[in-house]
Amino acid sequence: MKIALVTRRFPPLIGGAEKVLSYLAPALAAEGAEVSVLTARLSGLPQRETIPTAAGSLTVVRLPSAGLRFVGTWLYMRNLRRWLDRHPIDLAYVSMLKHDAYVAVGSGLRRGFPVVLRPEGAGATGDLAWQSWGRFGRTIGRRCRQADAVVAISRAIRDELVRNGYDQTTEIIDLPNGVPVPAEPWRRRDAWRSSPTALFVGRLASEKGLDTLIDAWPIVLETYPAARLILVGDGPERPALEARRDHLGLGSAIEFPGPSDDPNPLLRNSDLFILPSREEGMSIALLEAMALGMPLVASSIPGNRRLVADFRQGRLFPVSNARLLALTILDQWADFDRAVHMAAAARGLVNQKYAIATVARQHMDLFRRLVKP
Protein backbone atom coordinates (compact mmCIF):
# COMPACT_ATOMS: atom_id res chain seq x y z
CA MET A 1 0.00 0.00 0.00
CA LYS A 2 1.31 3.44 -0.97
CA ILE A 3 0.53 5.95 1.78
CA ALA A 4 1.12 9.71 1.73
CA LEU A 5 1.48 10.93 5.32
CA VAL A 6 0.91 14.69 5.13
CA THR A 7 2.12 17.05 7.85
CA ARG A 8 3.42 20.57 7.41
CA ARG A 9 5.66 20.16 10.48
CA PHE A 10 7.97 17.19 10.89
CA PRO A 11 11.25 16.58 12.76
CA PRO A 12 13.71 18.13 13.28
CA LEU A 13 10.90 20.48 14.37
CA ILE A 14 9.93 19.59 17.93
CA GLY A 15 6.38 19.08 19.17
CA GLY A 16 3.90 16.44 20.20
CA ALA A 17 2.28 16.00 16.77
CA GLU A 18 5.67 15.96 15.07
CA LYS A 19 6.90 13.24 17.40
CA VAL A 20 3.75 11.12 16.98
CA LEU A 21 4.12 11.12 13.22
CA SER A 22 7.86 10.46 13.38
CA TYR A 23 7.01 7.30 15.34
CA LEU A 24 4.06 6.31 13.16
CA ALA A 25 5.73 6.67 9.75
CA PRO A 26 8.41 3.96 10.26
CA ALA A 27 5.91 1.77 12.11
CA LEU A 28 3.61 1.85 9.07
CA ALA A 29 6.58 0.98 6.88
CA ALA A 30 7.34 -1.95 9.20
CA GLU A 31 3.84 -3.20 8.34
CA GLY A 32 4.91 -3.35 4.68
CA ALA A 33 3.58 0.02 3.48
CA GLU A 34 5.38 2.39 1.11
CA VAL A 35 5.23 5.61 3.13
CA SER A 36 5.95 9.07 1.73
CA VAL A 37 6.00 11.80 4.38
CA LEU A 38 5.06 15.10 2.71
CA THR A 39 6.14 18.11 4.73
CA ALA A 40 7.39 21.68 4.36
CA ARG A 41 11.05 22.09 3.51
CA LEU A 42 13.33 23.69 6.09
CA SER A 43 16.49 25.56 5.21
CA GLY A 44 19.55 23.31 5.10
CA LEU A 45 17.64 20.04 4.80
CA PRO A 46 17.55 17.86 1.67
CA GLN A 47 14.42 17.92 -0.47
CA ARG A 48 14.20 14.12 -0.40
CA GLU A 49 15.47 11.65 2.19
CA THR A 50 15.13 7.87 2.12
CA ILE A 51 15.17 6.27 5.56
CA PRO A 52 16.20 2.59 5.78
CA THR A 53 13.49 0.26 7.07
CA ALA A 54 13.32 -3.48 7.72
CA ALA A 55 10.19 -3.76 5.58
CA GLY A 56 8.24 -1.50 3.27
CA SER A 57 9.83 1.88 2.54
CA LEU A 58 9.96 5.36 4.07
CA THR A 59 10.77 8.54 2.19
CA VAL A 60 10.58 12.09 3.54
CA VAL A 61 9.73 14.61 0.81
CA ARG A 62 10.27 18.22 1.85
CA LEU A 63 8.18 20.50 -0.34
CA PRO A 64 9.36 24.05 -1.08
CA SER A 65 7.77 26.73 1.08
CA ALA A 66 8.79 30.22 2.21
CA GLY A 67 9.43 32.11 5.43
CA LEU A 68 6.73 34.71 4.78
CA ARG A 69 3.51 33.58 6.50
CA PHE A 70 0.84 33.78 3.76
CA VAL A 71 3.21 33.34 0.83
CA GLY A 72 4.75 30.30 2.50
CA THR A 73 1.33 28.71 3.08
CA TRP A 74 0.27 29.31 -0.53
CA LEU A 75 3.54 27.92 -1.90
CA TYR A 76 3.38 24.84 0.30
CA MET A 77 -0.26 24.18 -0.67
CA ARG A 78 0.57 24.52 -4.37
CA ASN A 79 3.49 22.10 -4.16
CA LEU A 80 1.52 19.64 -2.04
CA ARG A 81 -1.29 19.62 -4.60
CA ARG A 82 1.17 19.08 -7.44
CA TRP A 83 2.83 16.15 -5.67
CA LEU A 84 -0.48 14.46 -4.87
CA ASP A 85 -1.72 14.95 -8.44
CA ARG A 86 1.45 13.54 -10.00
CA HIS A 87 2.28 10.54 -7.80
CA PRO A 88 0.19 7.36 -7.55
CA ILE A 89 -0.90 6.69 -3.97
CA ASP A 90 -3.53 4.48 -2.40
CA LEU A 91 -4.40 6.74 0.56
CA ALA A 92 -3.50 10.05 2.19
CA TYR A 93 -3.32 10.44 5.97
CA VAL A 94 -3.26 14.09 7.04
CA SER A 95 -2.24 15.67 10.35
CA MET A 96 -4.43 18.64 11.40
CA LEU A 97 -7.64 19.92 9.85
CA LYS A 98 -6.04 22.93 8.21
CA HIS A 99 -4.57 23.83 4.81
CA ASP A 100 -2.92 20.44 4.23
CA ALA A 101 -6.29 18.73 4.72
CA TYR A 102 -8.00 21.09 2.27
CA VAL A 103 -5.49 20.24 -0.45
CA ALA A 104 -5.41 16.49 0.25
CA VAL A 105 -9.20 16.06 0.30
CA GLY A 106 -9.46 18.00 -2.96
CA SER A 107 -6.83 15.80 -4.62
CA GLY A 108 -8.51 12.67 -3.27
CA LEU A 109 -11.86 13.72 -4.72
CA ARG A 110 -10.28 14.39 -8.13
CA ARG A 111 -8.09 11.30 -8.28
CA GLY A 112 -10.22 8.80 -6.38
CA PHE A 113 -8.01 7.91 -3.40
CA PRO A 114 -9.38 7.95 0.18
CA VAL A 115 -8.25 10.63 2.63
CA VAL A 116 -8.10 10.17 6.40
CA LEU A 117 -7.72 13.23 8.63
CA ARG A 118 -6.48 13.42 12.22
CA PRO A 119 -7.11 16.48 14.42
CA GLU A 120 -4.22 16.96 16.83
CA GLY A 121 -5.98 18.86 19.59
CA ALA A 122 -9.25 19.96 21.17
CA GLY A 123 -10.50 22.98 23.05
CA ALA A 124 -9.57 26.61 22.46
CA THR A 125 -6.26 25.69 20.80
CA GLY A 126 -7.58 22.72 18.81
CA ASP A 127 -8.13 22.21 15.08
CA LEU A 128 -11.88 22.80 15.13
CA ALA A 129 -11.55 25.99 17.15
CA TRP A 130 -9.09 27.24 14.52
CA GLN A 131 -11.64 26.51 11.78
CA SER A 132 -14.03 28.95 13.49
CA TRP A 133 -11.63 31.92 13.44
CA GLY A 134 -8.66 31.11 11.18
CA ARG A 135 -8.18 32.62 7.74
CA PHE A 136 -10.34 30.55 5.35
CA GLY A 137 -11.05 28.26 8.33
CA ARG A 138 -14.73 27.77 7.57
CA THR A 139 -14.01 26.99 3.92
CA ILE A 140 -11.39 24.47 4.98
CA GLY A 141 -13.86 22.99 7.45
CA ARG A 142 -16.44 22.38 4.74
CA ARG A 143 -13.83 20.59 2.63
CA CYS A 144 -12.65 18.51 5.60
CA ARG A 145 -16.17 17.14 6.06
CA GLN A 146 -15.73 15.45 2.66
CA ALA A 147 -12.91 13.23 3.92
CA ASP A 148 -13.45 9.47 3.98
CA ALA A 149 -12.64 9.17 7.69
CA VAL A 150 -11.44 11.23 10.63
CA VAL A 151 -9.32 9.72 13.40
CA ALA A 152 -10.16 10.86 16.95
CA ILE A 153 -7.26 10.37 19.35
CA SER A 154 -9.34 11.40 22.37
CA ARG A 155 -12.94 11.60 23.55
CA ALA A 156 -12.73 15.40 23.61
CA ILE A 157 -11.79 15.46 19.92
CA ARG A 158 -14.56 12.98 19.02
CA ASP A 159 -17.12 15.12 20.88
CA GLU A 160 -15.99 18.25 19.03
CA LEU A 161 -16.19 16.45 15.68
CA VAL A 162 -19.76 15.37 16.45
CA ARG A 163 -20.76 18.86 17.61
CA ASN A 164 -19.44 20.26 14.34
CA GLY A 165 -21.36 17.77 12.21
CA TYR A 166 -18.50 15.57 11.03
CA ASP A 167 -20.40 12.41 11.95
CA GLN A 168 -23.06 13.32 9.37
CA THR A 169 -20.68 13.26 6.41
CA THR A 170 -17.69 11.11 7.34
CA GLU A 171 -16.72 8.17 9.54
CA ILE A 172 -15.13 8.97 12.92
CA ILE A 173 -12.64 6.32 14.04
CA ASP A 174 -11.19 6.14 17.57
CA LEU A 175 -7.45 5.45 17.33
CA PRO A 176 -4.94 6.45 20.00
CA ASN A 177 -1.47 7.89 19.70
CA GLY A 178 1.37 5.42 20.05
CA VAL A 179 4.94 5.52 21.32
CA PRO A 180 7.90 3.15 21.39
CA VAL A 181 8.30 1.23 24.64
CA PRO A 182 11.98 1.34 25.69
CA ALA A 183 13.56 -2.03 26.41
CA GLU A 184 15.19 -0.63 29.56
CA PRO A 185 12.72 0.98 32.03
CA TRP A 186 13.34 3.99 34.25
CA ARG A 187 15.23 3.25 37.49
CA ARG A 188 14.99 5.26 40.71
CA ARG A 189 18.09 7.22 41.65
CA ASP A 190 19.84 6.19 44.86
CA ALA A 191 20.16 9.80 46.05
CA TRP A 192 16.70 11.02 45.04
CA ARG A 193 15.64 11.99 48.58
CA SER A 194 18.37 14.61 49.00
CA SER A 195 17.45 16.56 45.85
CA PRO A 196 14.31 15.19 44.18
CA THR A 197 13.82 16.33 40.61
CA ALA A 198 10.55 16.81 38.72
CA LEU A 199 10.32 17.26 34.97
CA PHE A 200 7.87 18.70 32.45
CA VAL A 201 8.35 18.23 28.70
CA GLY A 202 6.31 20.16 26.17
CA ARG A 203 5.37 23.51 24.72
CA LEU A 204 5.60 26.46 27.11
CA ALA A 205 2.09 27.71 26.38
CA SER A 206 -0.84 28.81 28.51
CA GLU A 207 -2.84 25.61 27.95
CA LYS A 208 -0.07 23.58 29.62
CA GLY A 209 -0.83 25.08 33.05
CA LEU A 210 2.80 25.77 33.93
CA ASP A 211 1.87 28.88 35.91
CA THR A 212 0.06 26.54 38.32
CA LEU A 213 3.11 24.30 38.56
CA ILE A 214 5.42 27.23 39.34
CA ASP A 215 2.98 28.51 41.97
CA ALA A 216 2.99 25.04 43.56
CA TRP A 217 6.75 24.86 43.89
CA PRO A 218 7.19 27.00 47.06
CA ILE A 219 4.94 24.50 48.87
CA VAL A 220 7.05 21.61 47.60
CA LEU A 221 10.22 23.36 48.81
CA GLU A 222 8.87 23.56 52.37
CA THR A 223 9.28 19.76 52.58
CA TYR A 224 12.13 19.29 50.08
CA PRO A 225 14.27 22.46 50.15
CA ALA A 226 16.61 21.12 47.45
CA ALA A 227 13.86 19.98 45.07
CA ARG A 228 14.42 20.94 41.43
CA LEU A 229 11.86 21.55 38.69
CA ILE A 230 12.99 21.34 35.06
CA LEU A 231 10.69 22.70 32.34
CA VAL A 232 11.92 21.30 29.02
CA GLY A 233 10.62 23.07 25.94
CA ASP A 234 9.99 26.48 24.46
CA GLY A 235 7.00 28.58 23.56
CA PRO A 236 5.27 31.95 23.86
CA GLU A 237 4.86 31.77 27.65
CA ARG A 238 8.54 31.30 28.46
CA PRO A 239 9.28 34.98 29.33
CA ALA A 240 6.20 35.19 31.57
CA LEU A 241 7.01 31.90 33.27
CA GLU A 242 10.61 32.95 33.93
CA ALA A 243 9.35 36.23 35.36
CA ARG A 244 6.90 34.34 37.60
CA ARG A 245 9.71 32.11 38.84
CA ASP A 246 11.91 35.12 39.62
CA HIS A 247 9.07 37.03 41.32
CA LEU A 248 8.57 34.07 43.68
CA GLY A 249 12.32 33.91 44.38
CA LEU A 250 12.66 30.44 42.83
CA GLY A 251 15.53 31.21 40.47
CA SER A 252 17.77 28.35 41.59
CA ALA A 253 14.95 25.81 41.97
CA ILE A 254 13.34 26.00 38.51
CA GLU A 255 15.31 25.52 35.29
CA PHE A 256 14.42 26.29 31.66
CA PRO A 257 16.94 24.31 29.57
CA GLY A 258 15.04 24.89 26.31
CA PRO A 259 13.66 22.36 23.84
CA SER A 260 15.18 18.91 23.35
CA ASP A 261 14.72 16.45 20.50
CA ASP A 262 15.61 13.64 22.90
CA PRO A 263 14.44 14.28 26.49
CA ASN A 264 14.97 10.63 27.44
CA PRO A 265 18.23 11.24 29.41
CA LEU A 266 16.53 14.00 31.41
CA LEU A 267 13.53 11.75 32.10
CA ARG A 268 15.78 8.94 33.33
CA ASN A 269 17.58 11.33 35.69
CA SER A 270 14.35 12.70 37.15
CA ASP A 271 12.15 11.39 39.93
CA LEU A 272 8.72 12.55 38.75
CA PHE A 273 7.06 13.57 35.50
CA ILE A 274 4.45 16.33 35.79
CA LEU A 275 1.81 17.33 33.22
CA PRO A 276 -0.37 20.18 34.62
CA SER A 277 -2.22 20.88 31.33
CA ARG A 278 -5.59 22.60 31.12
CA GLU A 279 -6.20 21.05 27.68
CA GLU A 280 -4.82 17.94 25.97
CA GLY A 281 -5.89 15.61 23.19
CA MET A 282 -3.67 12.65 24.01
CA SER A 283 -0.31 13.85 25.33
CA ILE A 284 2.67 12.20 23.66
CA ALA A 285 4.93 13.43 26.48
CA LEU A 286 2.72 11.72 29.05
CA LEU A 287 2.68 8.51 27.00
CA GLU A 288 6.49 8.56 26.74
CA ALA A 289 6.87 8.98 30.51
CA MET A 290 4.44 6.11 31.05
CA ALA A 291 6.26 3.92 28.52
CA LEU A 292 9.49 4.57 30.38
CA GLY A 293 7.81 3.54 33.65
CA MET A 294 8.51 6.62 35.77
CA PRO A 295 6.27 8.08 38.52
CA LEU A 296 3.95 10.82 37.35
CA VAL A 297 1.43 13.48 38.32
CA ALA A 298 -1.07 14.83 35.80
CA SER A 299 -4.06 17.16 35.76
CA SER A 300 -7.44 15.47 35.92
CA ILE A 301 -8.68 16.46 32.46
CA PRO A 302 -10.41 14.03 30.05
CA GLY A 303 -7.37 13.46 27.82
CA ASN A 304 -5.18 12.56 30.80
CA ARG A 305 -7.84 10.46 32.53
CA ARG A 306 -8.02 8.26 29.43
CA LEU A 307 -4.42 7.23 30.16
CA VAL A 308 -4.12 7.53 33.93
CA ALA A 309 -6.47 6.34 36.65
CA ASP A 310 -5.73 7.96 40.01
CA PHE A 311 -3.68 5.66 42.28
CA ARG A 312 -3.35 3.07 39.47
CA GLN A 313 -0.96 4.43 36.83
CA GLY A 314 -0.10 7.65 38.67
CA ARG A 315 -1.67 10.54 40.54
CA LEU A 316 -4.18 13.09 39.27
CA PHE A 317 -4.92 16.55 40.70
CA PRO A 318 -7.70 19.12 40.04
CA VAL A 319 -6.69 21.34 37.13
CA SER A 320 -5.30 24.82 37.94
CA ASN A 321 -5.14 24.13 41.70
CA ALA A 322 -1.58 24.92 42.79
CA ARG A 323 -2.00 23.82 46.40
CA LEU A 324 -3.44 20.41 45.52
CA LEU A 325 -0.83 19.95 42.82
CA ALA A 326 1.90 20.55 45.40
CA LEU A 327 0.29 18.13 47.87
CA THR A 328 -0.02 15.48 45.14
CA ILE A 329 3.67 15.85 44.25
CA LEU A 330 4.58 15.51 47.93
CA ASP A 331 2.32 12.46 48.25
CA GLN A 332 4.14 10.73 45.39
CA TRP A 333 7.51 11.35 47.03
CA ALA A 334 6.26 10.51 50.54
CA ASP A 335 5.39 6.95 49.43
CA PHE A 336 7.86 6.46 46.63
CA ASP A 337 7.56 2.67 46.64
CA ARG A 338 3.86 3.06 45.83
CA ALA A 339 4.68 5.65 43.15
CA VAL A 340 7.16 3.28 41.53
CA HIS A 341 4.58 0.47 41.60
CA MET A 342 2.05 2.71 39.82
CA ALA A 343 4.72 3.66 37.28
CA ALA A 344 5.28 -0.01 36.44
CA ALA A 345 1.54 -0.38 35.91
CA ALA A 346 1.60 2.62 33.55
CA ARG A 347 4.40 1.04 31.52
CA GLY A 348 2.41 -2.18 31.29
CA LEU A 349 -0.66 -0.30 30.06
CA VAL A 350 1.32 1.44 27.30
CA ASN A 351 2.92 -1.83 26.26
CA GLN A 352 -0.53 -3.39 25.98
CA LYS A 353 -2.55 -0.63 24.31
CA TYR A 354 -0.37 2.25 23.12
CA ALA A 355 2.83 0.67 21.78
CA ILE A 356 3.54 2.18 18.37
CA ALA A 357 3.57 -1.21 16.61
CA THR A 358 0.07 -1.95 17.92
CA VAL A 359 -1.23 1.47 16.91
CA ALA A 360 0.34 1.15 13.43
CA ARG A 361 -1.44 -2.17 12.87
CA GLN A 362 -4.75 -0.56 13.88
CA HIS A 363 -4.13 2.20 11.34
CA MET A 364 -3.29 -0.31 8.61
CA ASP A 365 -6.52 -2.20 9.31
CA LEU A 366 -8.44 1.04 8.77
CA PHE A 367 -6.49 1.94 5.63
CA ARG A 368 -7.00 -1.47 4.03
CA ARG A 369 -10.72 -1.23 4.66
CA LEU A 370 -10.91 2.17 2.95
CA VAL A 371 -8.76 1.39 -0.06
CA LYS A 372 -10.81 -0.07 -2.90
CA PRO A 373 -9.52 -3.42 -4.25
Side-chain angles (χ1 to χ4, degrees):
M1 184 182 295
K2 295 181 179 180
I3 300 171
L5 199 163
V6 183
T7 172
R8 189 168 181 177
R9 293 174 56 87
F10 194 73
L13 295 175
I14 299 172
E18 293 86 341
K19 189 169 284 190
V20 168
L21 297 173
S22 73
Y23 292 152
L24 184 60
L28 292 173
E31 294 295 313
E34 296 181 26
V35 181
S36 296
V37 176
L38 308 180
T39 189
R41 189 176 183 182
L42 299 175
S43 177
L45 293 178
Q47 187 168 347
R48 183 183 178 91
E49 179 184 5
T50 300
I51 300 174
T53 59
S57 65
L58 175 57
T59 303
V60 179
V61 180
R62 299 187 183 276
L63 303 171
S65 182
L68 295 175
R69 183 179 178 188
F70 297 115
V71 174
T73 298
W74 175 84
L75 187 60
Y76 170 69
M77 291 174 69
R78 185 197 69 177
N79 290 318
L80 175 60
R81 182 175 61 252
R82 287 180 176 177
W83 194 100
L84 291 172
D85 286 348
R86 294 174 181 175
H87 294 80
I89 63 170
D90 297 308
L91 178 140
Y93 188 40
V94 188
S95 171
M96 304 187 75
L97 275 59
K98 296 187 178 181
H99 304 86
D100 316 54
Y102 181 88
V103 171
V105 173
S107 293
L109 292 171
R110 287 193 306 275
R111 298 197 53 214
F113 59 79
V115 177
V116 181
L117 308 180
R118 55 169 286 138
E120 300 293 354
T125 60
D127 300 53
L128 293 171
W130 176 86
Q131 287 184 358
S132 70
W133 59 261
R135 189 178 180 89
F136 305 116
R138 296 185 185 279
T139 300
I140 291 172
R142 287 192 292 271
R143 175 68 62 81
C144 287
R145 290 177 182 84
Q146 296 178 275
D148 295 86
V150 182
V151 165
I153 61 174
S154 71
R155 179 61 183 269
I157 289 176
R158 167 177 271 278
D159 290 345
E160 285 194 3
L161 289 168
V162 171
R163 286 198 298 271
N164 284 270
Y166 276 78
D167 60 325
Q168 300 173 20
T169 58
T170 188
E171 184 178 9
I172 302 175
I173 307 295
D174 297 309
L175 284 177
N177 285 335
V179 295
V181 179
E184 183 66 24
W186 171 92
R187 306 284 184 190
R188 73 170 81 189
R189 299 184 303 130
D190 291 337
W192 77 268
R193 291 183 184 277
S194 60
S195 58
T197 301
L199 189 77
F200 162 87
V201 179
R203 181 169 163 79
L204 306 187
S206 59
E207 67 270 14
K208 296 299 183 179
L210 296 172
D211 53 341
T212 302
L213 179 52
I214 290 174
D215 289 348
W217 212 246
I219 303 173
V220 173
L221 293 176
E222 291 175 7
T223 301
Y224 294 97
R228 297 167 59 230
L229 174 61
I230 304 175
L231 305 179
V232 179
D234 207 350
E237 290 297 305
R238 178 167 180 169
L241 294 171
E242 290 178 328
R244 196 181 199 97
R245 171 198 63 183
D246 296 341
H247 175 73
L248 293 173
L250 302 172
S252 61
I254 301 179
E255 302 174 20
F256 291 83
S260 172
D261 58 0
D262 182 16
N264 188 61
L266 287 169
L267 288 165
R268 289 185 180 275
N269 285 299
S270 299
D271 310 298
L272 191 68
F273 175 81
I274 304 177
L275 184 67
S277 301
R278 297 184 174 97
E279 297 175 359
E280 288 286 351
M282 177 176 282
S283 168
I284 194 69
L286 178 57
L287 273 173
E288 287 178 322
M290 293 172 67
L292 198 56
M294 67 180 299
L296 63 90
V297 168
S299 53
S300 184
I301 58 175
N304 293 344
R305 290 199 303 270
R306 180 178 178 183
L307 299 173
V308 178
D310 200 17
F311 287 105
R312 293 185 63 182
Q313 289 83 26
R315 291 300 320 277
L316 300 174
F317 75 96
V319 65
S320 299
N321 190 316
R323 179 177 176 276
L324 289 182
L325 170 54
L327 294 179
T328 306
I329 293 168
L330 293 173
D331 183 63
Q332 281 289 69
W333 283 339
D335 193 343
F336 207 43
D337 287 340
R338 182 190 64 188
V340 171
H341 179 75
M342 289 187 284
R347 177 174 161 88
L349 177 65
V350 173
N351 198 38
Q352 179 184 8
K353 296 182 62 176
Y354 304 107
I356 189 60
T358 299
V359 172
R361 284 192 291 272
Q362 293 171 343
H363 277 77
M364 289 300 296
D365 289 343
L366 169 64
F367 297 164
R368 292 188 186 101
R369 178 166 62 82
L370 294 174
V371 173
K372 296 178 181 178

